[in-house]
Amino acid sequence: MNTGHVLVFYTSYHKSHVMRRFQSFQHLYRTLKSTPKITQKISKRPSTHSAKPHFVSKILQLFLNPLQNTADADPPLQVSMPFSLTFLSPLWTEHARRYYCQFMVYFTCLSTKVRLMHPYRTHTCNELRAADAGKTARISGWVFRKRDHGGILFIDLRDHYGLTQVVVHPSRSFFSDIERIKLESVVTFTGEVVLREPSTINPDLPTGEIELVANDCTVESYAETTPIYIPDETDPAEDMRLTYRYLDLRRERVHKNIVLRSKLISFLRKQMETHGFSEYQTPILTCSSPEGARDYLVPSRVHHGKFYALPQAPQLFKQLLMVAGFDRYFQIAPCFRDEDSRADRSPGEFYQLDIEMSYATQEDVFAVVEDVLSKAFAEFSPKDWKIDQAPWRRIPYREAMLTYGSDKPDLRNPLKIIDVTELFRKSGFGAFARAVQNGAIVRALPVPGIKSKPRSFFDKLEPWAKQELGAKGLAYLVWDTDKIKGPIAKFLNPDELDALAKAGNLKDGDAIFFICDTADKTPTMMGALRKKMGQDLGIVEEKAYRFCWITDFPFFEKDPETGAIIFSHNPFSMPQGGLEALTNKNPLDILAYQYDVVCNGIELSSGAVRNHRPDIMYKAFEMAGYGPEVVEEKFSCLLNAFKFGAPPHAGVAPGVDRMVMLLAGEENIREVIAFPMNQKAEDLMMHAPAEVTEKQLRELHISIRPHGGQSKPAQPTV
C-alpha cells in the first residue's frame, strides 16, 4: 500500500502558500508534538501575521489528537473524508475576524496505518475482481437492473466503466428503500466483496466472478420513470432519443461510441505530433466565403447590417498560417455547413482532422495520411479485421467513374463496370444502337455465377432500376451452359455475343447487365446497380477496411443547365500544368491536384495541392467567368498574402465523425455524435433553433418578415 501524505494550504487575503507537506500521519504528529517552542507560541494568542504559520500548526495538532491512538491500529482505521470540513468550520468562525485567514487540510492517497475511504467510491463498477474477495469496497452508480430472488435484492449497478452486481439482504435497514427506488436512481453501496457461486458466475462481465454484499447504502439521487428504457437494446424512435439524449447516451452501445470518439481524437493528436505537426486554433467567427455550401450567418450588434459567418472549414486560415511561416499545421476543427442531412453527414456542424503542410507535394500528404489513418484503424478495429496498409491504391477520377460508377467506390465489392458503347453502336439491338448514335453511352456490369438465381430475381431488377434510378430500363444476358438467355439475346448475333463475352470475361453461369442513357447519368446508375448486386448476392468482403485515393479530378466542368465553364471541385487547388495548362488546354481536359480519401464506399476526406500563385488564381477564375475585381473582393486577404511570398503548400481534412462511424460499425453518423441534430437540423433536447426576444432583435437591427403566410418567424432580414 502506498504511503499517503498531507497537504496543508494557508490562504490570506493577499497570497497563498503551501505551508507543510508530510509523508504520513505519524510523521506529521511526531513533528508537531516534538516542537515545544511552537507549542509555546501557540499558547499565546498571536497578534501579527508572522504568527500565522504557528496557527496552522495548532489547527493540525488539534485535528490529529483524536487520531494519535489509532495511528497504529490493526486493522487500519477507516475514516470518511468529509469530517475535515466539520472540524475546520468552528475554527474559522472563532478566528476569522482576528487573523483574516482560511485553512484547508487536503488528504490524498492512503496511509500505511490510517486509510481514508472516499465518500463515493473506492472502485469503479468495472474494477473489482476475484482477487479482491474479502475486501471492503465502496461503489457508486446508476441502478441498471433490479431483481428480487426470494426476498434478496440483486442490483446491477452501472457507471461509466461497467457493471457490478450488488446483493442487498432483507436484514439491512435500507432494504425497503432500495426495494422501492426506481431504475436509474444513483446509489452508493459499501460492503464486502465476495466470490459468486460457480453456477452464478457471469462470464460476459469482467466483474462476473464477484458481487458486493452491501452493508451500507446512500441514495444520492432518486430517478423518476425514464421515457427511455436504458437496458433495452432496441432503439426507440429517433425523436425520443434526441429529446432525451442524456438518457440515450447511458445506453451501452451509444456510450461506447462516444468513448471511442474521444479515444480516437486523442490518438490522432498524438500521431500528428509524431509527424512533426503542431496544433493551432483558427477563428469561429469569420466572413462568408463561397466554399460549396450555405453559411451559418451571425448578425453583428455593433456593425449595423453586417454578418459574421461560421467557418465551413478553416481553409483560408490554414493557408494563411503557411504564408505566415508555420510549417506543419493540424487541428481537430469544428466546421459548420447549412446543408441537408443524410446518413453519413450531420447537419449543422461536424469535426475534421484538418491538415496543412508547406513545401509539400501530393505524395507527401498521402504518406502522412496513410500512416496516421492506418494506425488509427489498426488501433481501434477488432483484431481480426483486415486493413489496407500503405501505399493505398490511387484511382484517377475518370477510372473510378468508369469502373465503379462512383468517385467513392467500395473496394470490398469485387464487381467492376465496363464500357460497351462501341459494341452496341452498330448492333442488332436497335434501341441501344439508336441511342448511342444520339450521344448516349452503354455501361455493363458482369456478374459471375448468377445463373442459379430464379427468374423472379431478374424480373424484379428492371422495375427497381426504373423506380429507384430513373433509368429507362435494364437489359441483361445470362450464359447458361451452351445457351444465352435474356430479353435482348434474340437481337444480337453470335459475333456480337462473343464480343460481349470477351469484354466481360464471361463464362457459363455468368450474367451481364446493361444500362443505356446519357453520359452524365449512366455512370452513377451503374454504380447504384453495382452496390445493389454486391449486397443482394452477399459478395461484399466482410471485416475489412479498404482504402483508396481518388485523384486527378477535373479542374473544370460544364454547368448542366447553362453550359458555362465552372469549377468542379475546389477553386483554390493547383491545376496540373499550372498557368501553361490554363492558357493552352481545353478547360475540360485540365486536371487538378485534388484528391479524396475513400474507405468502404465512404468519402473520409477531400484535399488538394493549393494554388499559391496570384497569376494562376486570376487566370483560373477568369476561365470560370470571374473578373479580377471579383477575386480581389471575395478573396482579398488570401490574394494579398500570396503577393508577399507564399510557399507551395498542400492539405487534406479527414472527417472525424465518419471515421468513428466506420470504426463503430454504425450506418448513421448521428450514432457517434454526443448531441446531434435531427434530419431537419433541429436540436430537440435544447429546442434549437429558437425564437428570440424583440429586444435581442432590436439590438441586432433585425426585423422578422412573415414568410409564406406562416406564423413562425422566417430567416432574419436586415
Side-chain angles (χ1 to χ4, degrees):
M1 186 177 296
N2 294 330
T3 301
H5 60 269
V6 180
L7 300 180
V8 183
F9 295 94
Y10 158 75
T11 306
S12 72
Y13 285 130
H14 306 290
K15 55 185 177 179
S16 179
H17 322 266
V18 176
M19 299 300 298
R20 293 283 191 272
R21 175 173 179 169
F22 296 89
Q23 294 303 310
S24 68
F25 283 95
Q26 296 94 326
H27 185 190
L28 174 61
Y29 184 78
R30 287 195 298 270
T31 301
L32 292 173
K33 295 294 282 186
S34 63
T35 314
K37 292 183 179 180
I38 293 179
T39 306
Q40 184 178 2
K41 289 183 179 181
I42 292 173
S43 64
K44 299 178 182 180
R45 182 168 293 177
S47 59
T48 63
H49 290 289
S50 63
K52 289 177 184 178
H54 308 311
F55 184 59
V56 175
S57 299
K58 175 63 173 176
I59 289 178
L60 291 174
Q61 188 174 10
L62 293 173
F63 173 74
L64 289 171
N65 277 335
L67 297 178
Q68 63 179 313
N69 296 324
T70 64
D72 297 319
D74 190 17
L77 176 70
Q78 293 186 0
V79 185
S80 182
M81 286 187 65
F83 75 100
S84 61
L85 298 177
T86 304
F87 178 81
L88 288 179
S89 58
L91 293 175
W92 165 246
T93 303
E94 178 182 352
H95 298 284
R97 293 180 180 179
R98 185 167 295 161
Y99 299 109
Y100 305 98
C101 54
Q102 297 176 335
F103 303 89
M104 179 179 67
V105 182
Y106 180 64
F107 296 86
T108 62
C109 304
L110 295 175
S111 171
T112 53
K113 294 299 182 179
V114 179
R115 186 163 60 236
L116 302 179
M117 180 172 283
H118 194 279
Y120 299 120
R121 62 188 181 190
T122 59
H123 301 78
T124 71
C125 292
N126 194 48
E127 195 171 355
L128 295 169
R129 299 291 188 271
D132 297 306
K135 293 181 179 179
T136 298
R138 179 175 290 165
I139 58 176
S140 294
W142 288 263
V143 177
F144 184 58
R145 294 188 183 93
K146 187 169 61 170
R147 304 176 301 279
D148 188 335
H149 290 180
I152 300 176
L153 288 179
F154 291 85
I155 307 292
D156 287 341
L157 202 67
R158 184 197 75 247
D159 65 4
H160 170 79
Y161 305 96
L163 290 172
T164 295
Q165 179 170 281
V166 180
V167 181
V168 183
H169 291 282
S171 60
R172 296 300 181 187
S173 60
F174 51 86
F175 180 87
S176 59
D177 294 333
I178 299 301
E179 191 177 32
R180 288 192 301 269
I181 64 170
K182 296 179 180 180
L183 299 183
E184 296 305 304
S185 296
V186 179
V187 185
T188 297
F189 287 106
T190 306
E192 183 182 358
V193 181
V194 301
L195 295 173
R196 295 195 196 185
E197 295 292 331
S199 60
T200 64
I201 290 176
N202 186 347
D204 297 327
L205 286 179
T207 60
E209 293 183 285
I210 59 90
E211 56 195 14
L212 185 77
V213 179
N215 56 41
D216 192 20
C217 167
T218 301
V219 179
E220 309 291 352
S221 176
Y222 290 90
E224 299 179 1
T225 301
T226 57
I228 294 175
Y229 184 54
I230 309 302
D232 194 355
E233 296 295 327
T234 305
D235 288 338
E238 185 173 75
D239 282 0
M240 177 68 73
R241 294 178 63 195
L242 296 183
T243 300
Y244 298 97
R245 186 61 169 179
Y246 44 86
L247 295 178
D248 192 44
L249 288 169
R250 294 183 188 179
R251 299 165 66 224
E252 183 178 13
R253 187 185 102 248
V254 188
H255 196 87
K256 284 184 176 179
N257 287 348
I258 304 306
V259 172
L260 170 63
R261 181 190 182 98
S262 174
K263 292 180 177 179
L264 174 65
I265 289 174
S266 177
F267 185 88
L268 292 173
R269 280 197 166 101
K270 293 175 182 176
Q271 288 299 310
M272 295 305 299
E273 290 171 356
T274 63
H275 282 275
F277 287 80
S278 299
E279 186 168 12
Y280 306 106
Q281 283 68 50
T282 52
I284 298 299
L285 291 177
T286 182
C287 63
S288 179
S289 64
E291 295 188 47
R294 289 179 293 272
D295 289 316
Y296 279 103
L297 301 178
V298 181
S300 171
R301 178 183 59 82
V302 294
H303 301 284
H304 185 194
K306 295 184 177 181
F307 293 79
Y308 302 101
L310 303 182
Q312 296 187 30
Q315 181 65 49
L316 299 183
F317 290 106
K318 69 178 182 179
Q319 290 189 249
L320 291 170
L321 283 171
M322 300 300 102
V323 177
F326 298 94
D327 194 72
R328 291 195 163 198
Y329 146 98
F330 88 96
Q331 182 184 187
I332 306 296
C335 304
F336 306 87
R337 298 180 186 179
D338 186 5
E339 53 189 2
D340 296 332
S341 175
R342 64 186 192 207
D344 64 345
R345 183 171 66 194
S346 176
E349 62 183 292
F350 61 93
Y351 284 79
Q352 61 189 30
L353 172 59
D354 211 60
I355 300 170
E356 201 73 17
M357 306 166 60
S358 285
Y359 305 105
T361 66
Q362 180 172 279
E363 289 298 322
D364 293 325
V365 176
F366 289 1
V368 171
V369 173
E370 287 173 352
D371 186 66
V372 172
L373 265 60
S374 293
K375 289 178 178 177
F377 275 75
E379 177 73 16
F380 297 106
S381 303
K383 299 305 178 185
D384 58 340
W385 279 54
K386 300 175 183 176
I387 302 167
D388 284 336
Q389 300 301 308
W392 298 340
R393 285 190 59 186
R394 277 78 157 148
I395 306 175
Y397 170 81
R398 291 191 171 106
E399 179 185 336
M401 296 304 297
L402 168 61
T403 306
Y404 306 105
S406 172
D407 59 357
K408 41 183 179 292
D410 188 348
L411 300 185
R412 299 172 302 166
N413 186 342
L415 301 180
K416 295 183 179 182
I417 303 164
I418 60 175
D419 186 276
V420 291
T421 303
E422 294 305 316
L423 294 180
F424 280 96
R425 184 178 294 279
K426 297 180 180 180
S427 73
F429 186 37
F432 277 15
R434 289 190 297 272
V436 170
Q437 293 294 334
N438 291 326
I441 63 173
V442 185
R443 295 280 167 84
L445 182 69
V447 181
I450 198 177
K451 77 172 184 179
S452 59
K453 291 291 183 181
R455 176 67 181 268
S456 59
F457 175 86
F458 296 89
D459 291 342
K460 292 177 181 178
L461 286 172
E462 183 170 12
W464 170 85
K466 290 181 177 180
Q467 296 169 12
E468 299 295 326
L469 307 182
K472 296 181 176 66
L474 180 67
Y476 66 89
L477 296 169
V478 180
W479 270 250
D480 188 2
T481 314
D482 50 1
K483 182 180 180 182
I484 300 175
K485 302 184 296 184
I488 68 172
K490 60 185 178 183
F491 300 108
L492 301 172
N493 61 45
D495 290 340
E496 292 167 342
L497 292 171
D498 287 344
L500 286 171
K502 184 177 181 180
N505 193 26
L506 301 168
K507 57 185 182 297
D508 181 47
D510 298 345
I512 187 168
F513 298 84
F514 307 93
I515 289 180
C516 177
D517 214 305
T518 59
D520 60 326
K521 295 180 179 179
T522 302
T524 55
M525 291 177 181
M526 290 301 298
L529 176 64
R530 174 180 176 268
K531 181 178 180 180
K532 178 177 175 59
M533 282 293 180
Q535 293 172 344
D536 290 354
L537 299 175
I539 59 176
V540 177
E541 184 184 17
E542 297 182 348
K543 297 184 177 181
Y545 293 114
R546 299 305 184 195
F547 291 89
C548 66
W549 292 97
I550 306 300
T551 63
D552 302 334
F553 282 85
F555 195 70
F556 297 107
E557 64 183 9
K558 276 190 177 182
D559 187 310
E561 295 181 359
T562 65
I565 298 296
I566 59 175
F567 291 110
S568 64
H569 203 266
N570 186 335
F572 302 106
S573 58
M574 179 68 77
Q576 296 184 21
L579 187 61
E580 182 180 353
L582 295 176
T583 304
N584 300 320
K585 278 191 171 183
N586 182 330
L588 299 180
D589 293 333
I590 299 173
L591 303 179
Y593 287 113
Q594 296 169 350
Y595 36 82
D596 288 355
V597 179
V598 177
C599 179
N600 292 5
I602 294 177
E603 178 195 322
L604 290 184
S605 174
S606 291
V609 175
R610 316 301 182 188
N611 180 3
H612 65 284
R613 286 177 47 180
D615 57 338
I616 298 178
M617 187 179 297
Y618 279 123
K619 183 63 177 179
F621 276 91
E622 177 190 330
M623 296 175 67
Y626 300 96
E629 67 282 354
V630 176
V631 181
E632 292 167 2
E633 178 187 357
K634 295 292 186 182
F635 312 108
S636 60
C637 182
L638 190 65
L639 186 65
N640 290 336
F642 286 174
K643 292 178 180 178
F644 293 102
H649 54 284
V652 71
V656 172
D657 310 296
R658 292 183 180 179
M659 280 191 276
V660 182
M661 185 179 74
L662 281 169
L663 289 166
E666 297 286 357
E667 296 183 357
N668 194 312
I669 204 165
R670 289 187 289 279
E671 300 295 345
V672 301
I673 299 171
F675 300 103
M677 292 193 285
N678 66 5
Q679 291 182 325
K680 298 178 181 178
E682 297 171 313
D683 184 339
L684 300 180
M685 182 181 66
M686 301 297 292
H687 307 291
E691 300 179 17
V692 298
T693 65
E694 187 64 31
K695 179 183 177 184
Q696 290 173 296
L697 293 175
R698 285 198 303 268
E699 289 175 340
L700 296 170
H701 314 289
I702 287 177
S703 61
I704 303 298
R705 182 176 64 192
H707 177 70
Q710 298 178 2
S711 59
K712 291 184 178 181
Q715 293 290 329
T717 57
V718 177

Short mmCIF file of all heavy atoms in Angstrom, two decimals, residues 517-554:
data_model
loop_
_atom_site.label_atom_id
_atom_site.label_comp_id
_atom_site.label_asym_id
_atom_site.label_seq_id
_atom_site.Cartn_x
_atom_site.Cartn_y
_atom_site.Cartn_z
N ASP A 517 -27.96 5.27 -71.29
CA ASP A 517 -28.53 6.58 -71.01
C ASP A 517 -27.47 7.64 -71.32
O ASP A 517 -26.42 7.34 -71.90
CB ASP A 517 -28.99 6.68 -69.55
CG ASP A 517 -30.24 7.56 -69.37
OD1 ASP A 517 -30.17 8.72 -69.83
OD2 ASP A 517 -31.22 7.08 -68.77
N THR A 518 -27.74 8.88 -70.91
CA THR A 518 -26.81 9.97 -71.18
C THR A 518 -25.50 9.78 -70.41
O THR A 518 -25.44 9.06 -69.41
CB THR A 518 -27.44 11.31 -70.79
OG1 THR A 518 -27.77 11.29 -69.40
CG2 THR A 518 -28.71 11.56 -71.61
N ALA A 519 -24.47 10.47 -70.89
CA ALA A 519 -23.14 10.30 -70.30
C ALA A 519 -23.07 10.78 -68.85
O ALA A 519 -22.25 10.29 -68.08
CB ALA A 519 -22.11 11.06 -71.14
N ASP A 520 -23.93 11.71 -68.46
CA ASP A 520 -23.89 12.20 -67.09
C ASP A 520 -24.70 11.33 -66.13
O ASP A 520 -24.48 11.37 -64.91
CB ASP A 520 -24.37 13.65 -67.02
CG ASP A 520 -25.80 13.80 -67.52
OD1 ASP A 520 -26.19 13.07 -68.45
OD2 ASP A 520 -26.54 14.65 -66.98
N LYS A 521 -25.62 10.52 -66.63
CA LYS A 521 -26.49 9.70 -65.77
C LYS A 521 -26.05 8.25 -65.68
O LYS A 521 -26.15 7.63 -64.63
CB LYS A 521 -27.93 9.76 -66.27
CG LYS A 521 -28.59 11.13 -66.16
CD LYS A 521 -30.02 11.07 -66.68
CE LYS A 521 -30.70 12.43 -66.57
NZ LYS A 521 -32.10 12.37 -67.10
N THR A 522 -25.58 7.69 -66.77
CA THR A 522 -25.30 6.26 -66.81
C THR A 522 -24.27 5.81 -65.78
O THR A 522 -24.47 4.79 -65.11
CB THR A 522 -24.85 5.85 -68.22
OG1 THR A 522 -25.86 6.20 -69.16
CG2 THR A 522 -24.59 4.35 -68.30
N PRO A 523 -23.15 6.53 -65.59
CA PRO A 523 -22.16 6.03 -64.61
C PRO A 523 -22.73 5.86 -63.21
O PRO A 523 -22.48 4.84 -62.56
CB PRO A 523 -21.07 7.10 -64.67
CG PRO A 523 -21.17 7.68 -66.04
CD PRO A 523 -22.63 7.69 -66.34
N THR A 524 -23.47 6.85 -62.70
CA THR A 524 -24.00 6.76 -61.35
C THR A 524 -25.08 5.69 -61.23
O THR A 524 -25.21 5.04 -60.20
CB THR A 524 -24.55 8.11 -60.89
OG1 THR A 524 -25.52 8.58 -61.83
CG2 THR A 524 -23.43 9.13 -60.78
N MET A 525 -25.87 5.50 -62.30
CA MET A 525 -26.86 4.43 -62.30
C MET A 525 -26.17 3.08 -62.16
O MET A 525 -26.60 2.22 -61.39
CB MET A 525 -27.69 4.46 -63.58
CG MET A 525 -28.64 5.65 -63.69
SD MET A 525 -29.51 5.61 -65.29
CE MET A 525 -30.52 7.09 -65.16
N MET A 526 -25.10 2.89 -62.92
CA MET A 526 -24.37 1.64 -62.85
C MET A 526 -23.71 1.46 -61.48
O MET A 526 -23.62 0.33 -60.98
CB MET A 526 -23.32 1.58 -63.94
CG MET A 526 -23.88 1.43 -65.35
SD MET A 526 -24.90 -0.05 -65.55
CE MET A 526 -23.71 -1.34 -65.23
N GLY A 527 -23.27 2.56 -60.90
CA GLY A 527 -22.70 2.47 -59.56
C GLY A 527 -23.71 1.97 -58.54
O GLY A 527 -23.39 1.15 -57.67
N ALA A 528 -24.94 2.47 -58.64
CA ALA A 528 -26.00 2.00 -57.74
C ALA A 528 -26.34 0.54 -57.99
O ALA A 528 -26.59 -0.22 -57.05
CB ALA A 528 -27.24 2.88 -57.91
N LEU A 529 -26.36 0.12 -59.25
CA LEU A 529 -26.61 -1.28 -59.59
C LEU A 529 -25.50 -2.17 -59.04
O LEU A 529 -25.76 -3.25 -58.49
CB LEU A 529 -26.73 -1.45 -61.11
CG LEU A 529 -26.90 -2.88 -61.62
CD1 LEU A 529 -28.20 -3.49 -61.12
CD2 LEU A 529 -26.83 -2.92 -63.15
N ARG A 530 -24.26 -1.73 -59.19
CA ARG A 530 -23.12 -2.50 -58.65
C ARG A 530 -23.26 -2.68 -57.14
O ARG A 530 -23.03 -3.78 -56.61
CB ARG A 530 -21.81 -1.78 -58.97
CG ARG A 530 -20.57 -2.38 -58.34
CD ARG A 530 -19.32 -1.61 -58.71
NE ARG A 530 -18.14 -2.14 -58.04
CZ ARG A 530 -17.68 -1.70 -56.87
NH1 ARG A 530 -18.29 -0.69 -56.26
NH2 ARG A 530 -16.60 -2.27 -56.32
N LYS A 531 -23.63 -1.62 -56.43
CA LYS A 531 -23.80 -1.69 -54.98
C LYS A 531 -24.91 -2.67 -54.62
O LYS A 531 -24.74 -3.51 -53.71
CB LYS A 531 -24.11 -0.30 -54.42
CG LYS A 531 -24.28 -0.26 -52.92
CD LYS A 531 -24.53 1.16 -52.44
CE LYS A 531 -24.71 1.22 -50.93
NZ LYS A 531 -24.96 2.61 -50.46
N LYS A 532 -26.05 -2.60 -55.30
CA LYS A 532 -27.17 -3.48 -55.01
C LYS A 532 -26.80 -4.94 -55.27
O LYS A 532 -27.11 -5.82 -54.46
CB LYS A 532 -28.38 -3.09 -55.86
CG LYS A 532 -29.59 -4.00 -55.66
CD LYS A 532 -30.78 -3.55 -56.45
CE LYS A 532 -31.94 -4.54 -56.34
NZ LYS A 532 -32.39 -4.75 -54.93
N MET A 533 -26.14 -5.20 -56.38
CA MET A 533 -25.75 -6.58 -56.70
C MET A 533 -24.80 -7.14 -55.64
O MET A 533 -24.92 -8.29 -55.22
CB MET A 533 -25.09 -6.64 -58.07
CG MET A 533 -26.07 -6.58 -59.22
SD MET A 533 -27.08 -8.06 -59.28
CE MET A 533 -28.10 -7.69 -60.69
N GLY A 534 -23.85 -6.33 -55.22
CA GLY A 534 -22.91 -6.79 -54.19
C GLY A 534 -23.61 -7.16 -52.91
O GLY A 534 -23.30 -8.18 -52.27
N GLN A 535 -24.59 -6.34 -52.50
CA GLN A 535 -25.33 -6.61 -51.27
C GLN A 535 -26.28 -7.79 -51.42
O GLN A 535 -26.33 -8.67 -50.55
CB GLN A 535 -26.11 -5.35 -50.86
CG GLN A 535 -25.22 -4.18 -50.45
CD GLN A 535 -26.00 -2.90 -50.23
OE1 GLN A 535 -27.15 -2.76 -50.66
NE2 GLN A 535 -25.38 -1.95 -49.54
N ASP A 536 -27.04 -7.83 -52.52
CA ASP A 536 -28.02 -8.90 -52.71
C ASP A 536 -27.36 -10.27 -52.85
O ASP A 536 -27.92 -11.28 -52.41
CB ASP A 536 -28.88 -8.62 -53.95
CG ASP A 536 -29.83 -7.44 -53.74
OD1 ASP A 536 -29.90 -6.92 -52.60
OD2 ASP A 536 -30.51 -7.04 -54.71
N LEU A 537 -26.21 -10.30 -53.48
CA LEU A 537 -25.52 -11.58 -53.68
C LEU A 537 -24.61 -11.94 -52.51
O LEU A 537 -24.04 -13.04 -52.49
CB LEU A 537 -24.71 -11.54 -54.98
CG LEU A 537 -25.52 -11.31 -56.27
CD1 LEU A 537 -24.58 -11.17 -57.46
CD2 LEU A 537 -26.51 -12.44 -56.49
N GLY A 538 -24.43 -11.03 -51.55
CA GLY A 538 -23.59 -11.31 -50.39
C GLY A 538 -22.13 -11.50 -50.72
O GLY A 538 -21.45 -12.30 -50.07
N ILE A 539 -21.64 -10.74 -51.69
CA ILE A 539 -20.25 -10.91 -52.11
C ILE A 539 -19.35 -9.77 -51.64
O ILE A 539 -18.16 -9.73 -51.98
CB ILE A 539 -20.15 -11.05 -53.65
CG1 ILE A 539 -20.74 -9.81 -54.34
CG2 ILE A 539 -20.85 -12.31 -54.11
CD1 ILE A 539 -20.59 -9.84 -55.86
N VAL A 540 -19.89 -8.83 -50.86
CA VAL A 540 -19.08 -7.74 -50.32
C VAL A 540 -18.22 -8.29 -49.18
O VAL A 540 -18.73 -8.93 -48.26
CB VAL A 540 -19.97 -6.59 -49.81
CG1 VAL A 540 -19.11 -5.48 -49.19
CG2 VAL A 540 -20.80 -6.02 -50.96
N GLU A 541 -16.94 -8.05 -49.26
CA GLU A 541 -16.00 -8.55 -48.26
C GLU A 541 -16.36 -8.04 -46.88
O GLU A 541 -16.66 -6.87 -46.68
CB GLU A 541 -14.57 -8.13 -48.63
CG GLU A 541 -13.49 -8.67 -47.72
CD GLU A 541 -12.12 -8.15 -48.07
OE1 GLU A 541 -12.05 -7.13 -48.81
OE2 GLU A 541 -11.10 -8.75 -47.64
N GLU A 542 -16.32 -8.92 -45.89
CA GLU A 542 -16.62 -8.56 -44.52
C GLU A 542 -15.33 -8.40 -43.71
O GLU A 542 -14.26 -8.90 -44.10
CB GLU A 542 -17.52 -9.61 -43.87
CG GLU A 542 -18.90 -9.74 -44.54
CD GLU A 542 -19.78 -10.77 -43.85
OE1 GLU A 542 -19.25 -11.53 -43.02
OE2 GLU A 542 -20.99 -10.82 -44.14
N LYS A 543 -15.46 -7.69 -42.60
CA LYS A 543 -14.35 -7.49 -41.66
C LYS A 543 -13.10 -6.96 -42.37
O LYS A 543 -12.00 -7.50 -42.23
CB LYS A 543 -14.03 -8.79 -40.91
CG LYS A 543 -15.17 -9.29 -40.05
CD LYS A 543 -14.75 -10.51 -39.26
CE LYS A 543 -15.85 -10.99 -38.33
NZ LYS A 543 -15.44 -12.18 -37.54
N ALA A 544 -13.30 -5.88 -43.12
CA ALA A 544 -12.18 -5.30 -43.84
C ALA A 544 -12.41 -3.81 -44.02
O ALA A 544 -13.54 -3.35 -44.19
CB ALA A 544 -11.99 -5.97 -45.21
N TYR A 545 -11.33 -3.03 -43.96
CA TYR A 545 -11.33 -1.62 -44.32
C TYR A 545 -10.45 -1.46 -45.55
O TYR A 545 -9.24 -1.67 -45.48
CB TYR A 545 -10.80 -0.75 -43.18
CG TYR A 545 -11.71 -0.73 -41.96
CD1 TYR A 545 -11.30 -1.28 -40.75
CD2 TYR A 545 -12.97 -0.16 -42.03
CE1 TYR A 545 -12.12 -1.26 -39.65
CE2 TYR A 545 -13.81 -0.15 -40.92
CZ TYR A 545 -13.38 -0.69 -39.74
OH TYR A 545 -14.20 -0.68 -38.64
N ARG A 546 -11.07 -1.10 -46.67
CA ARG A 546 -10.37 -0.95 -47.93
C ARG A 546 -10.31 0.53 -48.31
O ARG A 546 -11.31 1.16 -48.59
CB ARG A 546 -11.07 -1.76 -49.02
CG ARG A 546 -11.12 -3.26 -48.74
CD ARG A 546 -9.72 -3.85 -48.48
NE ARG A 546 -9.71 -5.30 -48.29
CZ ARG A 546 -8.68 -5.97 -47.79
NH1 ARG A 546 -7.57 -5.31 -47.44
NH2 ARG A 546 -8.73 -7.27 -47.65
N PHE A 547 -9.08 1.05 -48.32
CA PHE A 547 -8.84 2.47 -48.58
C PHE A 547 -8.37 2.68 -50.02
O PHE A 547 -7.75 1.81 -50.63
CB PHE A 547 -7.77 3.02 -47.64
CG PHE A 547 -8.18 3.11 -46.20
CD1 PHE A 547 -7.99 2.03 -45.34
CD2 PHE A 547 -8.74 4.27 -45.70
CE1 PHE A 547 -8.35 2.12 -44.00
CE2 PHE A 547 -9.10 4.36 -44.37
CZ PHE A 547 -8.91 3.29 -43.52
N CYS A 548 -8.63 3.87 -50.51
CA CYS A 548 -8.04 4.29 -51.78
C CYS A 548 -8.04 5.81 -51.85
O CYS A 548 -8.75 6.49 -51.11
CB CYS A 548 -8.81 3.71 -52.97
SG CYS A 548 -10.50 4.31 -53.17
N TRP A 549 -7.21 6.32 -52.74
CA TRP A 549 -7.20 7.73 -53.10
C TRP A 549 -7.87 7.90 -54.45
O TRP A 549 -7.55 7.18 -55.40
CB TRP A 549 -5.77 8.27 -53.18
CG TRP A 549 -5.03 8.35 -51.90
CD1 TRP A 549 -4.15 7.43 -51.40
CD2 TRP A 549 -5.09 9.41 -50.95
NE1 TRP A 549 -3.65 7.85 -50.19
CE2 TRP A 549 -4.21 9.07 -49.89
CE3 TRP A 549 -5.78 10.62 -50.88
CZ2 TRP A 549 -4.01 9.90 -48.78
CZ3 TRP A 549 -5.60 11.43 -49.77
CH2 TRP A 549 -4.72 11.07 -48.74
N ILE A 550 -8.78 8.82 -54.55
CA ILE A 550 -9.32 9.23 -55.85
C ILE A 550 -8.56 10.50 -56.24
O ILE A 550 -8.58 11.50 -55.51
CB ILE A 550 -10.83 9.49 -55.79
CG1 ILE A 550 -11.55 8.27 -55.22
CG2 ILE A 550 -11.36 9.83 -57.17
CD1 ILE A 550 -11.36 7.00 -56.01
N THR A 551 -7.90 10.46 -57.38
CA THR A 551 -7.01 11.54 -57.78
C THR A 551 -7.43 12.10 -59.13
O THR A 551 -8.34 11.61 -59.79
CB THR A 551 -5.56 11.03 -57.87
OG1 THR A 551 -5.48 10.03 -58.90
CG2 THR A 551 -5.11 10.41 -56.55
N ASP A 552 -6.72 13.15 -59.54
CA ASP A 552 -6.85 13.72 -60.89
C ASP A 552 -8.29 14.12 -61.22
O ASP A 552 -8.83 13.78 -62.27
CB ASP A 552 -6.33 12.74 -61.94
CG ASP A 552 -4.88 12.36 -61.71
OD1 ASP A 552 -4.14 13.16 -61.10
OD2 ASP A 552 -4.48 11.25 -62.11
N PHE A 553 -8.90 14.85 -60.30
CA PHE A 553 -10.24 15.38 -60.58
C PHE A 553 -10.17 16.41 -61.70
O PHE A 553 -9.19 17.15 -61.82
CB PHE A 553 -10.83 16.03 -59.33
CG PHE A 553 -11.35 15.05 -58.32
CD1 PHE A 553 -10.51 14.48 -57.38
CD2 PHE A 553 -12.69 14.71 -58.30
CE1 PHE A 553 -10.98 13.58 -56.44
CE2 PHE A 553 -13.18 13.82 -57.37
CZ PHE A 553 -12.33 13.26 -56.43
N PRO A 554 -11.22 16.52 -62.52
CA PRO A 554 -11.27 17.60 -63.50
C PRO A 554 -11.25 18.95 -62.78
O PRO A 554 -11.93 19.13 -61.76
CB PRO A 554 -12.59 17.38 -64.23
CG PRO A 554 -12.96 15.95 -63.96
CD PRO A 554 -12.40 15.63 -62.61
#
